[in-house]
Amino acid sequence: MDALPQDTLHQIFSSLPLRQIMICRSLSKFFNQLLTSPSFLHLISTQSPPLNLLALRPPHHRHLSSPSCLHVFDPDLNQWLRFPLDFLPFRSPHPVASSLGLVYLWGDSPDPPESTKSLVVCNPLTRQFRVLPQLGSAWSRHGSVLVDSQTRVMVLTELAALYFSGSNQWLKFSSNLPSKPRSPILVFDSVYALCDVGSPWRCQWKLFRCTISKLKTSQTWTRLEKHEWGDVFDILKRPRLVRGNGNKVLMVGGLKSSFSLNASCSTILILRLDLDSLEWDEAGRMPVEMFRCFQESSKFKVFGGGDKVCFSAKRIGRLALWDRCSGKAEWRWIDGVPGSGDGLSRGFVFEATLTAFP
């Protein structure tokens, strides 16, 4: 094998799917150097599509001495994978978002006396990283990290927003939202979030939007609504937003059995909004047998993106997955969830690739 020219080896391995290339990299130092060289990465940049994986955010109570890694689930192979994060010079890295093959995470400063946190962008497959301009620790505790590309990163809170466009600094703007934003998402040049405009006794969720260009000037959010929508926000209990494919937004929540204050839910519903036509349609609803496992839980978590949405709840011990990638919606269980805790798993979609550079 060593006697073959490097170009020949590159041509041979470039015909392999990305999963096999990742396996070969772990065989020896020789293969790792061969399959991470710039010339090989350039060769496969148009040949190996990314792997659509589901990544888990680590629990907040994870012990500092435990090994840092990113746990991901491969829906096609129905198995869990693990990417070590020990190449990062930070304590307790906490992945929170991903876009275009890169993972964004909070990391504590390497010197124990310091308490500063940094927002880091990295590729766990190539073990390369870059530290974004310094932020205060309060942003990591209260802000939601929204990512659309390397030149569009936002940290959003109820009162303020930080925006990074590839320069060497963050731009700060007032948010002026009516309440704490729930499940904000970044879709191209616009931010969408649910806000509660109701009373202390009864929630009333509405959809708000702000384009980045307006955020820089007038700093205003607008309520997105149409008369034809009717009671679309009133039929769901604890709704959340998930970015769909293209110009689509998914809204997920428990389907109320009535409009009473403490109405029970009959299932979990996934609605889809077309941002061009501003029309809703039903994308899916959880099967009754699967929903019975969620009925006894007071709350559940939702994460995903595109055509995949994951659900977790206390005392279930596994994830429920809605998958529409094959063109037909499918519901199934994901077993063997790594880690332990309250069972409320959080995460994001990770498009793993060897050709994304921080």
Side-chain angles (χ1 to χ4, degrees), residues 63-289:
H63 196 271
L64 295 179
S65 62
S66 60
S68 299
C69 63
L70 179 68
H71 292 285
V72 300
F73 179 76
D74 187 336
D76 294 334
L77 296 183
N78 197 36
Q79 69 178 24
W80 289 95
L81 305 172
R82 178 177 172 272
F83 295 117
L85 299 176
D86 54 1
F87 61 93
L88 296 170
F90 297 95
R91 294 181 295 117
S92 57
H94 193 95
V96 291
S98 177
S99 177
L100 301 177
L102 299 175
V103 173
Y104 294 75
L105 52 89
W106 293 107
D108 290 320
S109 55
D111 301 320
E114 300 291 333
S115 59
T116 59
K117 283 184 178 291
S118 299
L119 188 58
V120 184
V121 55
C122 73
N123 186 338
L125 277 69
T126 62
R127 300 171 68 84
Q128 297 174 316
F129 71 94
R130 178 167 63 97
V131 182
L132 298 185
Q134 189 65 47
L135 289 171
S137 298
W139 290 96
S140 67
R141 293 193 299 269
H142 307 293
S144 299
V145 178
L146 314 179
V147 184
D148 184 65
S149 67
Q150 286 193 69
T151 58
R152 223 189 316 255
V153 183
M154 180 176 287
V155 184
L156 179 67
T157 70
E158 179 181 351
L159 301 177
L162 290 178
Y163 177 65
F164 179 75
S165 59
S167 60
N168 200 34
Q169 64 179 350
W170 292 90
L171 303 178
K172 186 176 181 179
F173 310 99
S174 297
S175 291
N176 295 325
L177 284 165
S179 66
K180 182 179 179 180
R182 166 175 281 189
S183 58
I185 57 175
L186 184 58
V187 183
F188 303 124
D189 64 341
S190 297
V191 184
Y192 297 83
L194 292 170
C195 289
D196 184 6
V197 298
S199 67
W201 303 275
R202 190 183 188 98
C203 295
Q204 187 179 7
W205 295 100
K206 296 297 180 181
L207 181 62
F208 286 79
R209 174 182 63 186
C210 181
T211 61
I212 293 176
S213 59
K214 288 184 178 179
L215 189 66
K216 295 179 180 179
T217 55
S218 59
Q219 306 170 7
T220 59
W221 289 77
T222 57
R223 186 186 294 188
L224 195 61
E225 56 186 349
K226 289 179 65 178
H227 176 74
E228 292 80 6
W229 288 1
D231 53 9
V232 66
F233 294 103
D234 299 325
I235 65 174
L236 295 182
K237 187 175 184 179
R238 297 181 60 84
R240 291 101 162 155
L241 297 180
V242 177
R243 181 172 179 176
N245 279 327
N247 215 23
K248 302 289 193 302
V249 171
L250 304 178
M251 185 167 67
V252 185
L255 179 60
K256 295 180 181 179
S257 56
S258 70
F259 289 107
S260 62
L261 185 59
N262 295 311
S264 61
C265 297
S266 58
T267 187
I268 294 176
L269 188 66
I270 303 176
L271 299 178
R272 179 173 47 213
L273 175 64
D274 187 313
L275 295 176
D276 294 326
S277 63
L278 291 182
E279 294 183 352
W280 292 93
D281 72 315
E282 181 178 325
R285 62 176 64 197
M286 185 176 288
V288 176
E289 310 80 36

Side-chain angles (χ1 to χ4, degrees), residues 56-61 80 293-294 297-303 310-320 333-334 336-347:
L56 293 183
R57 297 172 59 172
H60 293 288
H61 61 269
W80 289 95
C293 299
F294 288 83
S297 181
S298 59
K299 66 177 184 178
F300 60 91
K301 294 295 181 181
V302 177
F303 65 91
C310 267
F311 304 83
S312 68
K314 291 184 177 181
R315 297 183 298 275
I316 291 183
R318 51 183 177 170
L319 303 177
W333 290 106
I334 297 177
V337 181
S340 59
D342 57 9
L344 289 172
S345 299
R346 303 158 181 85

Side-chain angles (χ1 to χ4, degrees), residues 13 20-32:
F13 284 98
Q20 277 65 49
I21 293 175
M22 291 166 55
I23 294 173
C24 291
R25 286 177 54 205
S26 63
L27 295 178
S28 67
K29 185 176 181 180
F30 169 77
F31 282 111
N32 182 62

